[in-house]
Amino acid sequence: MNSKNVHSGRPNVGGAIFTAPATAELPTDAVSPLADTFVELGYASEEGITNAIETESNAVNAWGGDEVLNEITSRNETFSFKLIETSVATLREVFGAENVSERADGTVVLHNARGLAERIHVYEILMGAGQVKRIVVPRVKTAELGEIVYNGADPVGYELTLAALPDAKGNTAYEYIARIDDAGGSNA
């Protein structure tokens, strides 16, 4: 046991949730600056990011009841979070870039059933003890948009659940962990 291996996950100083077009260059470590094609999506709610991995398997039992084979039949991975900034970048992530336009008098957002394009996501997390984690999701597609609530007590939030789709190598995400100095994270 080593208590130095116990971490909490806080957002990186320069932002924690980034998006880019599907054609952007993927980062391959935890600390190199992201390409200019990545856009930071602003504040997320205090719940942070949830990564869920669901699997189903098929168990085969022999005569007598012993389980002799168990194979995974499906695997799904999602990332979910609630964005709490109403910025053009956030609105484009939620409703699709082609559905959000800026005009001289403000922003116009179209609500429709058009499918959203695949994109790349990067999540940057300060782990404490001088470590940073960068999760690179090479193919994400919006699977679900939660309710948008307008009230006087809570910030307007855009809750997204994103399906992590397998890349050409069959991977749905890559995690990179590195030691950093105490001055900040990889994009600080």
Side-chain angles (χ1 to χ4, degrees), residues 25-42:
E25 181 181 344
L26 293 174
T28 57
D29 64 34
V31 296
S32 296
L34 294 175
D36 291 339
T37 51
F38 283 89
V39 175
E40 198 267 326
L41 293 175

Side-chain angles (χ1 to χ4, degrees), residues 40-178:
E40 198 267 326
L41 293 175
Y43 282 107
S45 69
E46 66 184 344
E47 288 82 17
I49 299 169
T50 299
N51 178 205
I53 300 173
E54 296 178 8
T55 59
E56 291 185 15
S57 61
N58 183 31
V60 176
N61 293 331
W63 189 16
D66 289 340
E67 185 175 308
V68 294
L69 180 67
N70 193 321
E71 293 191 2
I72 293 176
T73 58
S74 70
R75 180 187 181 281
N76 300 303
E77 184 168 9
T78 61
F79 290 87
S80 58
F81 48 84
K82 183 187 283 187
L83 299 171
I84 58 173
E85 281 192 36
T86 302
S87 66
V88 171
T90 296
L91 294 170
R92 287 182 174 154
E93 185 68 18
V94 172
F95 295 102
E98 68 282 355
N99 292 322
V100 179
S101 58
E102 293 182 90
R103 304 186 317 196
D105 64 341
T107 304
V108 176
V109 179
L110 305 176
H111 293 225
N112 53 51
R114 291 185 196 125
L116 300 178
E118 269 187 35
R119 50 216 180 275
I120 299 167
H121 268 208
V122 171
Y123 309 122
E124 298 205 336
I125 303 160
L126 293 177
M127 302 292 287
Q131 291 185 325
V132 64
K133 177 186 281 194
R134 177 181 277 170
I135 301 171
V136 178
V137 189
R139 295 181 60 212
V140 297
K141 187 131 176 120
T142 300
E144 187 176 330
L145 173 61
E147 294 177 343
I148 302 169
V149 178
Y150 302 93
N151 65 43
D154 301 305
V156 174
Y158 306 93
E159 188 172 355
L160 294 170
T161 299
L162 302 160
L165 306 172
D167 64 9
K169 297 177 182 175
N171 299 317
T172 51
Y174 297 83
E175 287 192 20
Y176 303 101
I177 302 169

